[in-house]
Amino acid sequence: MSKRSLNGTEWSAMVLAGAERLASHAERVNELNVFPVPDGDTGTNMNMTMTAGANELRSKPSVEVGRAAEVLAKGLLMGARGNSGVILSQLFRGFSRAVAGQQEIGAPAFAAALQQGVDTAYKSVVKPVEGTILTVAREAAKHGLAASRRTADLVEWMREIVLKASETLARTPDMLPVLKQVGVVDSGGQGLVYIYEGFMEYLEGRTGASDFAAPEPQAAAAASSGAHAAEAAGSAHGSGSAHGFAQAKIKTESIQFPYDMEFFVNRDAVARRTPFPEASFRKTLEKDGDSIILIDAGDIVKVHVHSRRPGDVLNAALLYGELSSIHILNMQDQHRELLEHEQEKPGPTTAKLSEGYEGDSIGVEAATGWPPEAMGKLAAAEAAQASEAVATVAHPLAFEMAPLGIVAVSMGSGNEQLLLSLGVDSVISGGQSMNPSTEDLVQAISSLAAHHIFILPNNSNVQLAAKQAAELADKPVTVIPTTSVPQGMAALLAYREEDPLEVNAERMTGAIEKVATGQITKAVRDTRMDGVDIREGQYIGILNKTIVASNDGLVEAARELLAKMLATGDEVVTILAGEGADSEYTDTLLSWIGNHYPDAEVEVHEGGQPLYPYWFMVESV
Amino acid sequence: MGAIALVTDSTADIPRAERERLRIGMVPLKVHFGGEEYLDNVDLQPADFYEKLQSFPGLPKSSQPSPADFLAEFERQMADGKEVLSIHLSSALSGTYQSALLAKSMLEDESKVTVIDSKSASMGYGMLVIRAAEMAEQGASMDEIVAEIARIKSSTKLYFLVDTLEYLHKGGRIGRASALFGSLLNIKPILTIDDEGYVNALDKARGQKRAFARIVELLDADFAGKPVDLNVVVTPGKTEMAEELIALLKERFQIRRYMQSEIGPVIGTHAGPGTVGIFMGPAV
C-alpha cells in the first residue's frame, strides 16, 4: 500500500488512531514515570489531552487538513494537562499553523509541519530539557525532513519517523541521568512514540480507521433530529459547541430555544439559609427552555439552559443569589453564521482565520508579563477560531470588579479552606497525579469578576498548564510559579493589598524561596535517588525537590525530614496533615518537636490532601 | 498652678496615680455586660474587667459619655476660673469626641474650652494629656501646649499587637486591617493607628517572634541611637508577651522615660485580651 497525500478526513482518522494507541498504552506510560513519588501520571495526562483533541476533531470534522489540524490544536490546547500534555498541545499547535489553508498534505508538508511543531514547543518551555518528549519530537521531525526528500510515499515516510522516534527514545537515558539511574526511557517521549505508531498503523491500513471512515452518514444521522443536534451542542458547551456539517443541515428557525445561557448563582451565607429549590427552579426553566443543567455546589449553583426568554431566566435566578459569569449566546445567530461560513469557499475563510491566529506572536513566556495588547488579540483570534459568537453580557456588578482575583490549585478540603482564608478566590482541586487541564484553569479565570488574575499552580506539573491558561484567558493573568501548597501559602502571606500588582507579583514570587517545603509520601517503586536507598512502600521525606529521608515508619520519616528542615530551631513550622496522618502520629510528632526545638512555633492544620500524610511548611526569620 | 485644666476620657489609659498627681479631669465611657452598665476605669477596673470578659458569653459593648457628662466636668473645672483643654479618643473609633464638642457648644462661653480629636487611642494620646498637664502646671499658654502636643504626636510611633483580630473585627474597629481577618493560619498583624485615626495593619508576621523582630526593626528606622520616651500598655494578667517585647526594646533603645500602664475596659473590649501597645517618641 502506498499513499502520497492525506485529506482532512484521512488525516483526522490517522490522528484518532494515534490517540487510540496512546490510550491503550497510557498505563505503560504512567509506569515509566521515574520519580518514586506517586505522580505516575504522564500517561494519564497525555491521554486526557489527546482525548480532548480527538473529541474536538470528531465533533467538527473537516475534509481540509488545515481546518482539521486547527480544530485538533484547539481541543488539545484546552484539554492540556501535565507538562507532557502541554508540550503535546504545543507540538500540534505549531503543526496546525504550518498546514493552515492546505486541503491535503504529502510527506514534505507533513515533515515541515512536524518541524514547526517542534519549534513552537521548544519556545513554550522555559528551560527545555533534553532526553524528554521534546528531544524525541525534534529528532523525529529533523529526520522526517530529510526522509521526505527521499520518498514521497507517506507510509514509508511515517515508518522512518517511527523508527527515528523509537531510536531517540531508547537513547533518552543517556541524555537524562535520572532516567539512567532508574533504568527507564522517558515517559513523555514514549507517549509520543505511541502516537506516531498509531499514525503508522492507520497508514498501513492496520486499523479500522474508526469512526472517521464515513463522516457523511454520521452527519446525516445527527441531522435527522434537529433537537438532538441542539442537545449535543448544549452538552458540549464550554469545550466548544458541536456543530459543523451536521448542523448545516438543520433550519435556523427550527431552533426552538435560541438563547444558550450559562451562569452561576452565588449563594452567600444569607442566601444559603433557605435551601436552593432545585426541582421547582428546574420547572420554572422548563416553561420556556430545555437542555437544563443545574449543579448545586452549596455556595454556588451552576445553571445552563437553552431558553426562549433569557430575561425571565435571569430574574428567576436572582431570587436565589447574586449572578456571575453570565454567558448568553444566540444559537440562531450562530447557526446563520455557520451556514454562511459553510457556503463560502473554504480557501479564504481558512486564510482569514489562520491570519488571526498567526497574528499572535506571544509565546507562553510572554504571558507571564503584564497585559500586553497581544493578549486581547489572541483572545479575539481564539474566539474567531472557535467560530463561537459568545455574547458576554457585562457583569451586573461590573463596577464592583475586583482589581485582582487569585486562582490556586490544591488538594484536600482543609488546604482549600486555608487557601481561601488567605485570600484565594477560586481553588481548583488538583496536583500530584491529578493535574487540572488548561481548560479547568481558563474557566476558573473567566469565572472571577476581577481585572487581573494571579494563578498559584502549587505543583511543578501544573506550571505549563497555568502558563498556557494565562495565554488563553480573557483577562491578564500572572503565574506565580509556586510548586507546592506551602509555597502558595507563603506567596499569599507576602501579598499586600495596598501595593500595585507588579510589586505584589514580585514579592509573592520572592516569598517562594523563603519557605522550605517538606513532603512525606509512600514510595511507589524500589530505587536509589539523591543518594537515598528506597524500597517500595517505605515513607520518603522530600525537602523541596530532593529526597532526604526514607523510613518504614511514618513518624520516623517525618522526624528525619523535619530535622533536615529546622536549621536554627526557632522557625515557624506549619503541619498540614493529610490522609493517613492519624492524630496519634501528629501528637507524637508535636511532642518530639517540642522537646528538640523548644523555640519553634508550631501550628497544625487538617489539610486533607491524599497521598501525602504530611506536608510541612517551615518559615525562618 | 496654671490657668489651664486638662480633661480627657477613660480610654487614655492614664494610671490613676498619675491622673491624680496632675489633676487631670476624666470622663468615663461606659461598658455594658448584657444589662449591667459600668463606668470605664471607675467602677470597673482593668483586672476585674478581664475576669468578667472570660466568663461572659459574647462581647461587652461600650458607649460614649453623654454630652451632659462632659458638660458637668467642664463646668466643674471652669468653676475655678480655668480654661479647659479636653483631649479625646480618635473620632474614627468613637463618638466621645463628638460628645465633648456638643458639651462645649452648650456652654455660655465656648471660648474657654478647647476640644482636640487625638486621632489616637490609649496611651497614644494619654501621653499627650500628661505632657499637656505638665506644661499647664508650669504655666504654658493654650497655644504653646496645643503646638507642643501636635509636635509630640507627629514624632511618636505607635504599634500594637493583638492576640486575635476577632475583637477588632466584631467591634467594627478593624479598618484596613480587615483583609487579615479570617486567616486560618496564625498571622500576627502589626497594627497602628494612622493619621486619620483608623486602625490599620502596617505589616504582618508569622508567629510572635517575627512580629517582635519586625516592631524592633520599624522603631529602629526612626529611633536608633536617639534618646527616647517609651510608654507601654498591656492587658493585666497577660503580660508574658509584653515582657518579652519590653525586654527587647530596653536592650535596643536608649530609654529616658518609661511608663507602663494597663489597658482599660473599653479599649480592652475592642482590642481583646493579650493586646500590647508600644508608643515611642523622642525624649521630651
Side-chain angles (χ1 to χ4, degrees):
Chain A
M1 183 179 174
S2 109
K3 195 152 182 52
R4 286 176 175 267
S5 72
L6 296 172
N7 63 22
T9 309
E10 292 163 331
W11 184 85
S12 300
M14 178 198 75
V15 169
L16 293 186
E20 252 164 52
R21 183 154 175 87
L22 174 64
S24 59
H25 292 83
E27 258 321 298
R28 170 75 192 122
V29 176
N30 280 343
E31 284 162 15
L32 291 174
N33 250 168
V34 293
F35 211 50
V37 298
D39 73 340
D41 58 356
T42 304
T44 308
N45 285 335
M46 286 184 82
N47 183 33
M48 289 175 90
T49 305
M50 199 64 193
T51 304
N55 288 343
E56 194 74 1
L57 205 49
R58 279 196 197 91
S59 71
K60 295 176 186 162
S62 174
V63 291
E64 256 181 75
V65 167
R67 174 84 185 124
E70 196 181 311
V71 166
L72 174 72
K74 166 85 179 166
L76 290 172
L77 217 53
M78 293 311 281
R81 60 183 80 213
N83 289 343
S84 301
V86 172
I87 291 171
L88 185 66
S89 73
Q90 294 295 330
L91 286 171
F92 282 98
R93 187 176 173 206
F95 188 102
S96 82
R97 289 183 188 180
V99 300
Q102 298 188 35
Q103 301 275 0
E104 301 195 336
I105 54 167
F110 205 137
L114 284 184
Q115 184 57 48
Q116 187 158 345
V118 167
D119 294 343
T120 305
Y122 265 86
K123 265 184 245 156
S124 74
V125 178
V126 183
K127 280 184 223 145
V129 177
E130 292 305 333
T132 64
I133 180 173
L134 283 170
T135 318
V136 174
R138 189 193 61 213
E139 290 301 308
K142 201 167 117 193
H143 186 73
L145 282 173
S148 70
R149 287 193 279 273
R150 289 194 301 271
T151 177
D153 177 16
L154 271 169
V155 184
E156 201 182 319
W157 178 81
M158 186 55 81
R159 252 181 229 131
E160 298 248 353
I161 290 280
V162 171
L163 208 65
K164 188 66 185 179
S166 309
E167 205 183 287
T168 310
L169 178 68
R171 288 193 293 114
T172 54
D174 298 329
M175 295 179 248
L176 198 55
V178 70
L179 298 175
K180 188 149 226 167
Q181 212 175 354
V182 182
V184 293
V185 294
D186 178 66
S187 52
Q190 176 68 72
L192 186 64
V193 168
Y194 283 132
I195 292 171
Y196 287 167
E197 283 174 357
F199 289 1
M200 190 174 72
E201 283 177 2
Y202 168 78
L203 292 172
E204 287 178 342
R206 285 192 282 132
T207 61
S210 62
D211 39 358
F212 252 83
E216 290 305 323
Q218 222 189 18
S224 66
S225 149
H228 173 80
E231 195 73 40
S235 64
H237 188 97
S239 56
S241 306
H243 31 236
F245 293 154
Q247 291 216 341
K249 295 185 181 154
I250 58 173
K251 284 202 171 86
T252 301
E253 296 70 37
S254 72
I255 301 173
Q256 256 192 302
F257 303 113
Y259 296 99
D260 181 358
M261 310 178 66
E262 193 177 23
F263 56 90
F264 293 96
V265 185
N266 296 323
R267 306 270 295 147
D268 61 18
V270 179
R272 271 208 306 280
R273 278 186 209 147
T274 46
F276 179 69
E278 201 180 308
S280 77
F281 187 67
R282 187 181 291 274
K283 276 222 173 73
T284 310
L285 298 186
E286 276 168 359
K287 272 195 287 183
D288 288 294
D290 69 1
S291 298
I292 297 162
I293 300 170
L294 290 179
I295 302 165
D296 186 355
D299 54 354
I300 200 160
V301 179
K302 182 176 177 165
V303 181
H304 172 270
V305 62
H306 293 166
S307 176
R308 209 176 353 233
R309 304 173 68 86
D312 292 0
V313 171
L314 294 177
N315 281 331
L318 263 177
L319 296 176
Y320 306 113
E322 197 179 298
L323 310 183
S324 64
S325 301
I326 303 171
H327 293 273
I328 303 176
L329 104 110
N330 183 339
M331 294 187 295
Q332 286 182 343
D333 247 15
Q334 193 192 15
H335 189 254
R336 277 187 288 267
E337 269 174 34
L338 185 78
L339 292 183
E340 281 166 23
H341 182 87
E342 291 296 333
Q343 279 156 12
E344 274 176 42
K345 283 197 175 158
T349 310
T350 314
K352 198 175 79 200
L353 286 174
S354 66
E355 199 178 295
Y357 203 29
E358 289 287 311
D360 86 272
S361 58
I362 53 167
V364 168
E365 286 254 48
T368 59
W370 296 92
E373 281 173 20
M375 203 81 85
K377 275 194 223 152
L378 177 69
E382 281 294 324
Q385 208 190 5
S387 68
E388 227 175 19
V390 178
T392 307
V393 171
H395 195 279
L397 300 168
F399 57 91
E400 279 184 18
M401 287 270 282
L404 176 70
I406 304 178
V407 173
V409 180
S410 173
M411 297 191 292
S413 59
N415 292 318
E416 178 175 343
Q417 290 308 315
L418 278 164
L419 289 165
L420 291 173
S421 86
L422 291 171
V424 170
D425 299 290
S426 173
V427 177
I428 299 174
S429 180
Q432 214 64 30
S433 83
M434 40 187 281
N435 302 151
S437 70
T438 301
E439 185 174 15
D440 295 337
L441 293 163
V442 168
Q443 281 188 347
I445 291 165
S446 66
S447 74
L448 292 180
H451 292 292
H452 194 111
I453 303 290
F454 283 180
I455 301 186
L456 303 172
N458 293 341
N459 189 294
S460 52
N461 291 336
V462 185
Q463 303 288 323
L464 283 181
K467 285 182 182 171
Q468 189 143 293
E471 195 180 347
L472 295 171
D474 55 2
K475 54 190 85 149
V477 175
T478 305
V479 179
I480 309 290
T482 55
T483 58
S484 67
V485 168
Q487 282 188 0
M489 290 178 176
L492 290 165
L493 288 168
Y495 173 73
R496 282 198 214 169
E497 202 179 357
E498 62 273 22
D499 286 337
L501 295 178
E502 294 89 335
V503 173
N504 270 312
E506 214 168 281
R507 190 186 293 119
M508 289 167 84
T509 305
I512 294 173
E513 311 222 323
K514 294 188 187 117
V515 65
T517 300
Q519 312 191 59
I520 297 285
T521 189
K522 259 188 182 169
V524 292
R525 63 162 75 234
D526 285 357
T527 189
R528 182 180 167 79
M529 280 197 73
D530 305 319
V532 180
D533 280 312
I534 298 151
R535 285 191 315 282
E536 186 184 333
Q538 269 193 325
Y539 288 99
I540 51 175
I542 306 161
L543 171 53
N544 299 324
K545 296 267 155 200
T546 313
I547 297 176
V548 296
S550 69
N551 203 301
D552 291 332
L554 172 56
V555 174
E556 288 74 14
R559 275 187 210 155
E560 272 181 51
L561 172 59
L562 280 169
K564 296 256 165 47
M565 298 181 77
L566 288 153
T568 55
D570 68 346
E571 290 91 345
V572 178
V573 181
T574 308
I575 299 177
L576 302 170
E579 286 174 13
D582 286 356
S583 58
E584 200 184 315
Y585 297 148
T586 307
D587 290 344
T588 313
L589 213 49
L590 281 176
S591 61
W592 178 81
I593 296 171
N595 289 334
H596 289 77
Y597 306 95
D599 289 336
E601 292 180 56
V602 189
E603 55 179 295
V604 181
H605 297 277
E606 281 301 326
Q609 68 276 8
L611 306 174
Y612 293 83
Y614 290 110
W615 278 343
F616 301 124
M617 169 181 185
V618 173
E619 295 157 272
S620 46
V621 182
Chain B
M1 193 70 188
I4 296 172
L6 263 294
V7 171
T8 186
D9 59 76
S10 58
T11 63
D13 289 336
I14 301 171
R16 187 182 193 141
E18 192 71 3
R19 216 168 60 214
E20 285 171 356
R21 180 177 74 84
L22 293 163
R23 291 179 211 172
I24 297 167
M26 187 273 268
V27 181
L29 277 77
K30 288 153 197 156
V31 182
H32 309 263
F33 278 93
E36 300 169 43
E37 185 183 289
Y38 299 91
L39 293 176
D40 184 34
N41 276 331
V42 176
D43 52 27
L44 184 64
Q45 295 302 318
D48 303 330
F49 166 76
Y50 290 103
E51 212 167 280
K52 274 185 103 63
L53 190 62
Q54 297 275 319
S55 56
F56 184 69
L59 276 182
K61 290 190 166 56
S62 63
S63 63
Q64 69 208 54
S66 69
D69 296 338
F70 276 113
L71 193 61
E73 181 62 23
F74 290 165
E75 282 171 343
R76 193 174 70 81
Q77 299 282 355
M78 289 160 74
D80 299 341
K82 287 182 178 176
E83 275 188 67
V84 171
L85 176 55
S86 194
I87 307 176
H88 299 285
L89 177 62
S90 167
S91 62
L93 303 176
S94 163
T96 303
Y97 169 70
Q98 268 308 316
S99 225
L101 272 187
L102 269 173
K104 172 182 156 142
S105 72
M106 289 151 84
L107 289 167
E108 250 171 65
D109 186 358
E110 286 186 42
S111 68
K112 297 284 184 204
V113 174
T114 304
V115 182
I116 291 180
D117 173 5
S118 75
K119 295 187 175 164
S120 189
S122 186
M123 274 304 264
Y125 78 96
M127 57 189 281
L128 303 180
V129 175
I130 291 172
R131 180 71 191 132
E134 284 172 350
M135 288 178 75
E137 212 167 43
Q138 288 155 14
S141 72
M142 185 68 89
D143 288 349
E144 283 168 342
I145 296 173
V146 172
E148 172 69 359
I149 60 173
R151 192 190 63 77
I152 298 175
K153 167 90 173 36
S154 66
S155 59
T156 297
K157 295 292 170 184
L158 176 172
Y159 303 112
F160 66 105
L161 290 173
V162 293
D163 233 15
T164 160
L165 282 171
E166 197 189 329
Y167 290 85
L168 280 168
H169 180 71
K170 284 190 179 152
R173 260 65 171 194
I174 199 165
R176 272 161 276 179
S178 63
L180 296 173
F181 182 76
S183 155
L184 296 174
L185 282 189
N186 176 23
I187 299 172
K188 287 265 172 230
I190 294 158
L191 302 165
T192 190
I193 296 180
D194 63 22
D195 291 343
E196 281 92 50
Y198 289 94
V199 173
N200 198 355
L202 205 67
D203 203 347
K204 54 188 183 267
R206 282 277 282 151
Q208 190 170 300
K209 282 192 201 73
R210 277 143 207 88
F212 288 175
R214 183 71 185 123
I215 287 180
V216 169
E217 192 182 29
L218 284 165
L219 290 171
D220 214 49
D222 285 306
F223 303 113
K226 296 175 192 159
V228 293
D229 287 347
L230 175 63
N231 287 279
V232 177
V233 292
V234 297
T235 310
K238 287 199 86 174
T239 54
E240 298 134 52
M241 173 164 102
E243 274 157 19
E244 209 180 318
L245 178 56
I246 293 160
L248 270 177
L249 296 173
K250 284 186 169 167
E251 192 183 311
R252 183 72 192 83
F253 297 97
Q254 299 170 29
I255 297 164
R256 289 287 157 80
R257 262 165 58 143
Y258 175 76
M259 191 191 291
Q260 183 172 332
S261 53
E262 292 181 336
I263 296 174
V266 168
I267 297 290
T269 296
H270 295 290
T275 298
V276 54
I278 301 293
F279 311 90
M280 189 180 277
V284 175

